[in-house]
């Protein structure tokens, strides 16, 4: 997980934001180097999602900006990037499905998510911007289970990288 940024305002916040982005970029460079060393020769595909404008949760003003910056870093590293911003449940599912359909054996598959997420009983869930989590049942219905995405990535690519911010 790259930096757990909160939208708090403090004197050191811009420096922490820059540091977190720098740390994520360094992890990406390391991951790309690992892919090269592992002999993975397929294309580099990335799905980058930034959710900032939540309807029923605290808004995260930097999540979309972070996703834009990560997209820039990945494109410079020759990744084909699909970018999603402020995705509702349907948009999140469509972006993930579209990304997974492009993967082939031999590909490097990278997923980056910046936004609200929770971990319950060992499962990580991405929270779409339209989620209303009033009960524990709502989590299963309104959020997206990251385990599903990671499993599908394993089935359809040679190297998988997931970064949760």
């Amino acid at each position: 997980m790259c930096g757990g940024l909160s939208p708090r305002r403090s004197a050191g916040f811009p420096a922490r934001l820059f540091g977190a982005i720098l740390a994520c970029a360094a992890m990406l460079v390391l991951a790309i180097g690992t892919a090269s060393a592992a002999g993975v020769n397929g294309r580099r595909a990335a799905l980058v999602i930034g959710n900032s404008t939540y309807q029923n949760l605290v808004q995260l003003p930097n999540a979309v900006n972070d996703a834009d910056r990560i997209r820039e870093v990945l494109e410079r590293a020759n990744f084909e990037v699909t970018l999603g911003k402020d995705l509702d449940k349907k948009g999140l599912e469509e972006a993930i499905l579209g990304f997974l359909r492009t993967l082939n054996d031999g590909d490097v598959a990278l997923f980056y998510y910046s936004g609200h997420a929770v971990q319950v009983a060992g499962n990580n869930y991405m929270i779409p911007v339209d989620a209303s989590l009033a009960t524990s049942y709502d989590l299963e219905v309104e959020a997206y289970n990251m385990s599903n995405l990671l499993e599908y990535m394993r089935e359809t690519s040679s190297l998988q990288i997931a970064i949760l911010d």
Side-chain angles (χ1 to χ4, degrees):
M1 183 160 147
C2 282
L5 294 179
S6 68
R8 292 182 296 162
R9 303 235 190 277
S10 70
F13 181 69
R16 286 195 316 269
L17 174 62
F18 179 74
I21 291 170
L22 188 60
C24 284
M27 285 178 53
L28 290 174
V29 169
L30 178 63
I32 293 164
T34 300
S36 297
V40 177
N41 295 321
R43 73 186 239 288
R44 296 173 179 183
L47 174 59
V48 175
I49 296 175
N51 281 347
S52 289
T53 312
Y54 285 88
Q55 298 168 14
N56 302 303
L57 298 170
V58 174
Q59 295 193 12
L60 301 173
N62 294 313
V64 166
N65 297 334
D66 293 347
D68 282 331
R69 288 184 185 99
I70 294 299
R71 176 192 51 82
E72 292 170 6
V73 169
L74 289 172
E75 286 177 345
R76 283 192 297 258
N78 298 318
F79 273 82
E80 296 173 22
V81 180
T82 301
L83 178 65
K85 296 181 184 181
D86 290 325
L87 300 177
D88 60 12
K89 175 74 186 275
K90 183 178 181 190
L92 182 64
E93 289 174 343
E94 288 174 353
I96 290 169
L97 181 60
F99 171 68
L100 292 172
R101 285 182 174 161
T102 70
L103 297 177
N104 297 302
D105 251 352
D107 287 350
V108 174
L110 186 144
F111 175 70
Y112 171 87
Y113 177 75
S114 182
H116 281 302
V118 296
Q119 184 179 49
V120 176
N123 291 311
N124 291 300
Y125 296 88
M126 293 177 281
I127 313 250
V129 296
D130 62 342
S132 176
L133 304 176
T135 69
S136 58
Y137 175 74
D138 294 335
L139 185 64
E140 289 289 330
V141 174
E142 295 193 36
Y144 189 90
N145 189 333
M146 288 265 322
S147 297
N148 296 335
L149 170 63
L150 297 175
E151 182 59 35
Y152 293 133
M153 285 172 61
R154 274 191 286 278
E155 291 175 6
T156 57
S157 62
S158 294
L159 179 66
Q160 305 80 38
I161 302 164
I163 302 169
L164 306 178
D165 185 3

